[in-house]
Amino acid sequence: MFPSLLWAEKTIEGVTVASLKKDKGRLISAKASKIFELDIKTVSKKVIDFENKCNNDLRRKRKLISKESNCLYPNKNVIEAVKLPSLKPNCKKCFLIFRRIYNRSYFQHYDLIESSSSGISTIINHRMLSNEKLSEYITQPKKTRSAFKSLSGQFKLTKLEDKKTKVEYFYKAYTENWLLNLEITQNTLLENVANGVRATIDAIGIVHE
């Protein structure tokens, strides 16, 4: 995944993360995998349930969903996530997620969620939409505020047995934020990315009564 000699690469608690200085900014990538004793349909439902991925400790900052509701899957910096339909006619297996985020400051963006299945595999992609692209998918969108110019991820689910599914997750981002580009912040940046990816994967295994 990462070309040798170009990327600063390390593995943190099973997550391989890397960064590369490029143009005015920095590319960040990560990958991780895990096998779950769950059927692929159950795993797929958990992965695609993006509106239930937030931090309940940030509920007082919510504006769009009830402060009393409990998100099922923890996501450290997400205040709330709202599912919205896509207006694009050729986007039948996709929808939007609007996320409000808090990480020392407030951020917000729309993710386009797309999924496809073939044989024993299911692919679920998420991609942050730029302000220029938003009008293609939604009317009167809120303006994106993010420390990243681009951000995307892919879940690849593979059925191993009826009750066993392998999940591989690939993450990619590009930022021109001055703080995130400092060499002195790179270890912290990669650790935060690794922790986020690991939490994303581990959340799939959370069982709710």
Side-chain angles (χ1 to χ4, degrees):
M1 180 181 179
F2 308 127
S4 61
L5 304 180
L6 296 178
W7 293 83
E9 179 181 330
K10 64 197 302 186
T11 299
I12 304 172
E13 295 185 4
V15 180
T16 302
V17 289
S19 73
L20 169 68
K21 188 71 177 172
K22 182 180 180 181
D23 301 326
K24 297 179 181 179
R26 185 173 296 274
L27 286 167
I28 304 111
S29 294
K31 61 179 179 180
S33 64
K34 190 171 184 177
I35 294 174
F36 295 91
E37 301 294 327
L38 296 167
D39 63 87
I40 192 170
K41 185 176 180 180
T42 298
V43 172
S44 180
K45 285 182 178 180
K46 286 171 172 282
V47 169
I48 211 162
D49 192 9
F50 288 95
E51 60 193 309
N52 258 310
K53 299 176 181 179
C54 75
N55 187 346
N56 291 317
D57 291 338
L58 298 176
R59 65 175 73 243
R60 291 185 179 181
K61 300 181 184 296
R62 293 176 184 171
K63 294 181 178 180
L64 304 175
I65 66 173
S66 170
K67 292 180 173 62
E68 306 303 318
S69 63
N70 288 310
C71 288
L72 301 178
Y73 310 104
N75 192 316
K76 181 180 178 182
N77 298 124
V78 177
I79 300 170
E80 55 194 339
V82 179
K83 183 177 179 179
L84 302 165
S86 167
L87 295 178
K88 217 166 185 179
N90 61 345
C91 197
K92 295 181 179 179
K93 287 191 175 182
C94 70
F95 59 89
L96 302 182
I97 288 289
F98 178 67
R99 305 186 206 236
R100 294 184 62 244
I101 297 163
Y102 182 77
N103 187 3
R104 299 183 182 179
S105 186
Y106 289 93
F107 303 95
Q108 62 186 31
H109 71 262
Y110 294 85
D111 276 307
L112 176 65
I113 313 298
E114 299 175 286
S115 63
S116 61
S117 297
S118 176
I120 62 171
S121 296
T122 296
I123 302 293
I124 298 169
N125 293 310
H126 67 85
R127 173 169 55 91
M128 182 176 74
L129 293 173
S130 66
N131 285 315
E132 293 74 24
K133 285 284 186 180
L134 281 173
S135 60
E136 298 179 18
Y137 294 91
I138 189 170
T139 57
Q140 298 182 322
K142 301 178 187 296
K143 188 174 181 179
T144 293
R145 296 197 299 269
S146 177
F148 296 93
K149 288 285 186 179
S150 65
L151 192 160
S152 62
Q154 180 183 90
F155 294 87
K156 182 180 179 181
L157 317 182
T158 304
K159 176 182 176 181
L160 303 179
E161 299 175 9
D162 286 347
K163 290 289 185 178
K164 183 177 288 187
T165 303
K166 181 179 182 180
V167 177
E168 298 170 273
Y169 181 59
F170 306 93
Y171 169 94
K172 183 171 63 176
Y174 175 74
T175 180
E176 293 181 354
N177 178 276
W178 70 271
L179 181 60
L180 298 182
N181 269 283
L182 293 177
E183 291 298 328
I184 196 172
T185 66
Q186 291 314 294
N187 282 336
T188 299
L189 174 62
L190 293 182
E191 287 173 5
N192 288 340
V193 170
N195 290 337
V197 168
R198 175 51 56 198
T200 296
I201 291 286
D202 289 346
I204 297 169
I206 295 175
V207 177
H208 299 97
E209 299 297 331

